[in-house]
Amino acid sequence: MSGRWKYICFSVLLAVLSSEGVISAAPVHVYEKVELTFSAAVKYGNPYTDVEVWVDLKGPHFSKRCYGFWDGGDTFRVRIMALEPGTWTWVSGSSSSDPGLTGKKGSFQAIAWTEAEKEQNPNRRGIPQATPNGHALQWSDGTSYFIQGDYFYPASTTRYIWRDSDESYPVDSPRAGFKDILKYRKAQGFNTIYIISSFPNWAYDGWPAKFSDEAGVPLRDTWPNGNQDRAENMVNEENERPFFFPGKAVGYGEVGADMWRINPSYFRYLDKKVEYAGALGFQVFLETLRRDIAPYMKAYYGATNPDMSKNAVFFYIRYILARYQADPVSFGIIHQDIAGGPNLPGFSADEWRPVLDGYHKRYGHPPFGQIVTTNISGSTYRTWGDRDKAPWLMMNLAGNNPRDNRSADEILEMFRLPNPLPAYNQEPWYIANDTQEERARNRAIMYGNLLSGGLAGIAYEAYGMTRGNRENFADVDQSCGGDPHKFGPFPNMWVAVKWQSANEVGFVKKFMMTDGPKYQDLVPHPEFLSVSKIGDWPTEGWSFLMRTDDKQLFKLYFEKRAVHPEISGALPGTAYKAQWFDPRTGEWSPAGNGVLTADTEGKIVLPAFPTDNDWALSLSTR
């Protein structure tokens, strides 16, 4: 069995199509990937853009058109899945009426997973979706899904190396590969990873990390390669790149990719990694293009053109969403973690909007319901607007800027929308090192955003891991005041992977789940704190409070230097089980004698904080 399929625990290669179509020989489980393969009879000048292939898929409570993608040569694939047990049928079609792509038929039987099988892999529970109140996430079967994510951004490349073999390597060794690191994170409680699908203009090509062509068009603004002023090398395990060359960059065709000529072979390693992650129970947040390529795409490839036939970003979004539509993924339709500016290659929201709206107008939401959103600077709501202005948006995010308590206010704003979407901070804080100060900042933003309404989950970013750093990096550039968030040092990924801050991420779910899925009903109420904010320190001195409407459950978090508050909004005269939670160790301890009783006005006087650090507190009538 080839390495490509050896590890696919929930993917099924249905069959090779004959001219009469095919019926599967054995049933498949719901949510398992079914891959249909077609061979074009017509020769196309550019199969990537010249033809579309699809199947019209029907099953219990389902009837949709599912699009496919070109996979090299005359091969096209459509990846589908069943969402309910029963009989599923499909009929193929193509925009060119190609006899090799059109009129094929088939069917398969889908069966349910047992509860024991679901326990082995949560992806067998379905597709993450909004809870009925719009504030949190759940699987298709109604089980809670709480994101605990880590950034593997360049995992589409050999920086997170793929090995077909099962041979393992120590996670803190340069030889550690994608499988080793992913299994380590699973043991820590992580269930989501973030990957950018490709970095087309990044390579060891002899030119600087930040580079423009002879016409002055910025071609890239990359992460530097160690101490050297060159881009990180973003190739796959066979030294392939996602698009062919030369492109249209004036004088530098070897730097700017031809964004009309995709290289399908490049993505076969990303296929393996996404499938392996799914088999371990991970969801993958898969982004399309990083913002730094935007000026190049605008100048030469129609990135802002409202005519989708002339917009290469449209075709790439279509390709990625079709190729991974039956995998355990959510989609970052574009990477917008910094808005464009004079010294920051990228686009404004208005410049990206034509292609995002154009794609949604043509295809709508993914056929199987996977979440679509964007990595963001600030908040998705402030950038794109509410659903009426961004109908493709299925989850709200905050992130990247500001990296302080102001992001909690952005989360609170989105929680309070009349028709809310699940929200969380997806780029809260980049851990530059594993000092106590860095871990405290990360905890403050993480818990502060969570208890401001970011109930979809939490994310974690460690420099080195996020960048897949395998090179030596210089000491902090003292000319910039020694700020590690401006210039290195970026630790090697096998160093950053072992940091204690990652273990602290795993404690958050333990804190939130004391009453099971009831956390989904929590509502932020900063007004119930006698003092919620002090000072101007960006991640110290604030307090956060959430409470369920039935007043039976409170969750609170106090940053370092927070004022010792009195809280209100409790059930009058009611005793609450009171427990401090140490976010550094994940340990519980009684608050006072373990019971706090509200007075006749529903106020509770809290005991002193256990130590002069940040603390969380749970109050429950149960």
Side-chain angles (χ1 to χ4, degrees), residues 296-543:
Y296 175 69
M297 297 291 287
K298 178 180 180 179
Y300 302 121
Y301 293 96
T304 59
N305 196 324
D307 182 349
M308 295 299 101
S309 69
K310 299 176 181 178
N311 192 319
V313 176
F314 167 83
F315 285 93
Y316 188 66
I317 291 173
R318 185 178 80 175
Y319 190 85
I320 293 299
L321 268 67
R323 187 161 191 133
Y324 298 99
Q325 68 187 4
D327 283 297
V329 300
S330 52
F331 292 107
I333 194 169
I334 208 70
H335 180 100
Q336 181 66 0
D337 70 334
I338 295 179
N343 298 311
L344 293 170
F347 280 171
S348 68
D350 287 341
E351 288 177 298
W352 279 127
R353 195 176 295 276
V355 70
L356 304 184
D357 291 347
Y359 176 85
H360 183 76
K361 183 177 180 180
R362 174 70 177 86
Y363 297 106
H365 292 308
F368 305 110
Q370 285 93 340
I371 288 170
V372 175
T373 184
T374 66
N375 179 295
I376 202 66
S377 173
S379 79
T380 47
Y381 173 63
R382 294 184 184 181
T383 300
W384 309 113
D386 210 349
R387 299 189 203 207
D388 58 331
K389 295 182 180 179
W392 44 268
L393 197 64
M394 301 170 70
M395 182 167 68
N396 273 322
L397 303 180
N400 200 35
N401 182 43
R403 295 178 192 167
D404 57 38
N405 282 329
R406 288 172 292 176
S407 61
D409 286 338
E410 294 176 338
I411 291 287
L412 182 61
E413 177 181 46
M414 292 187 287
F415 184 95
R416 289 174 170 172
L417 291 173
N419 189 20
L421 293 167
Y424 78 117
N425 192 325
Q426 192 174 277
E427 259 192 275
W429 182 262
Y430 279 91
I431 303 290
N433 49 60
D434 205 31
T435 62
Q436 292 183 9
E437 292 76 14
E438 279 289 280
R439 295 200 299 267
R441 294 185 187 105
N442 186 60
R443 292 193 304 270
I445 298 178
M446 184 167 58
Y447 280 88
N449 279 260
L450 176 63
L451 296 188
S452 295
L455 295 177
I458 52 176
Y460 170 76
E461 293 178 276
Y463 276 136
M465 285 284 293
T466 300
R467 297 188 173 204
N469 188 46
R470 290 184 168 274
E471 294 79 20
N472 293 324
F473 220 100
D475 292 336
V476 176
D477 186 337
Q478 297 301 320
S479 67
C480 292
D483 184 348
H485 299 98
K486 291 182 179 178
F487 296 89
F490 301 119
N492 293 126
M493 56 194 298
W494 53 87
V495 173
V497 71
K498 295 293 291 285
W499 284 350
Q500 170 62 19
S501 49
N503 292 320
E504 294 177 356
V505 174
F507 302 149
V508 179
K509 186 176 180 180
K510 179 180 178 181
F511 170 67
M512 293 299 289
M513 298 295 180
T514 50
D515 285 65
K518 194 172 179 62
Y519 81 92
Q520 298 172 352
D521 298 323
L522 288 165
V523 178
H525 285 288
E527 71 277 11
F528 291 162
L529 290 159
S530 58
V531 180
S532 62
K533 303 176 183 178
I534 64 164
D536 56 3
W537 190 252
T539 55
E540 289 189 2
W542 287 34
S543 303

Side-chain angles (χ1 to χ4, degrees), residues 167-247:
E167 185 174 1
S168 62
Y169 298 89
V171 73
D172 54 357
S173 159
R175 300 190 71 190
F178 178 79
K179 295 177 184 178
D180 304 302
I181 299 169
L182 197 66
K183 287 187 287 188
Y184 185 76
R185 283 295 190 242
K186 180 181 179 180
Q188 293 175 303
F190 287 85
N191 60 14
T192 303
I193 57 173
Y194 306 93
I195 299 177
I196 295 178
S197 63
S198 69
F199 302 79
N201 287 355
W202 296 28
Y204 293 166
D205 51 23
W207 303 108
K210 188 173 183 177
F211 189 62
S212 298
D213 69 5
E214 291 178 0
V217 174
L219 304 185
R220 66 189 181 205
D221 186 4
T222 77
W223 305 324
N225 180 65
N227 295 332
Q228 302 170 326
D229 185 17
R230 62 176 182 174
E232 285 194 349
N233 198 27
M234 297 300 196
V235 296
N236 73 4
E237 282 73 0
E238 294 184 22
N239 206 38
E240 295 174 308
R241 299 176 67 180
F243 290 85
F244 292 108
F245 291 78

Side-chain angles (χ1 to χ4, degrees), residues 8-194:
I8 303 176
C9 298
F10 59 94
S11 303
V12 176
L13 181 61
L14 184 62
V16 178
L17 290 168
S18 69
S19 60
E20 294 78 27
V22 67
I23 298 177
S24 65
V28 301
H29 285 94
V30 293
Y31 313 120
E32 282 187 323
K33 180 166 61 181
V34 173
E35 182 172 286
L36 309 177
T37 302
F38 303 86
S39 296
V42 176
K43 298 297 182 183
Y44 300 97
N46 187 353
Y48 173 54
T49 60
D50 292 352
V51 61
E52 280 188 290
V53 61
W54 62 77
V55 299
D56 290 320
L57 179 65
K58 293 183 178 181
H61 308 104
F62 187 97
S63 180
K64 292 184 180 181
R65 178 162 289 183
C66 305
Y67 288 87
F69 61 95
W70 175 57
D71 205 22
D74 62 0
T75 300
F76 288 80
R77 306 188 195 278
V78 184
R79 292 171 174 172
I80 57 178
M81 69 171 84
L83 302 183
E84 294 184 38
T87 300
W88 291 73
T89 62
W90 53 267
V91 179
S92 71
S94 69
S95 59
S96 63
S97 299
D98 185 322
L101 308 176
T102 303
K104 311 302 179 184
K105 299 179 180 179
S107 68
F108 59 95
Q109 292 292 318
I111 59 176
W113 294 102
T114 66
E115 192 59 34
E117 289 170 329
K118 292 179 182 179
E119 289 293 328
Q120 295 170 359
N121 187 334
N123 287 320
R124 294 168 179 172
R125 298 188 179 279
I127 309 296
Q129 56 195 241
T131 52
N133 66 9
H135 291 310
L137 294 171
Q138 63 183 23
W139 296 101
S140 302
D141 69 357
T143 306
S144 298
Y145 169 55
F146 184 81
I147 295 171
Q148 293 172 273
D150 190 15
Y151 274 70
F152 285 42
Y153 258 167
S156 54
T157 76
T158 191
R159 292 186 170 274
Y160 281 78
I161 190 168
W162 173 265
R163 297 184 179 94
D164 285 340
S165 75
D166 283 329
E167 185 174 1
S168 62
Y169 298 89
V171 73
D172 54 357
S173 159
R175 300 190 71 190
F178 178 79
K179 295 177 184 178
D180 304 302
I181 299 169
L182 197 66
K183 287 187 287 188
Y184 185 76
R185 283 295 190 242
K186 180 181 179 180
Q188 293 175 303
F190 287 85
N191 60 14
T192 303
I193 57 173
Y194 306 93

Side-chain angles (χ1 to χ4, degrees), residues 556-558 580-584 589 609-611 613-617:
L556 301 94
Y557 176 72
F558 306 97
W580 291 115
F581 184 80
D582 189 337
R584 291 162 294 282
S589 59
F609 302 136
T611 62
N613 286 305
D614 57 315
W615 285 92
L617 177 68

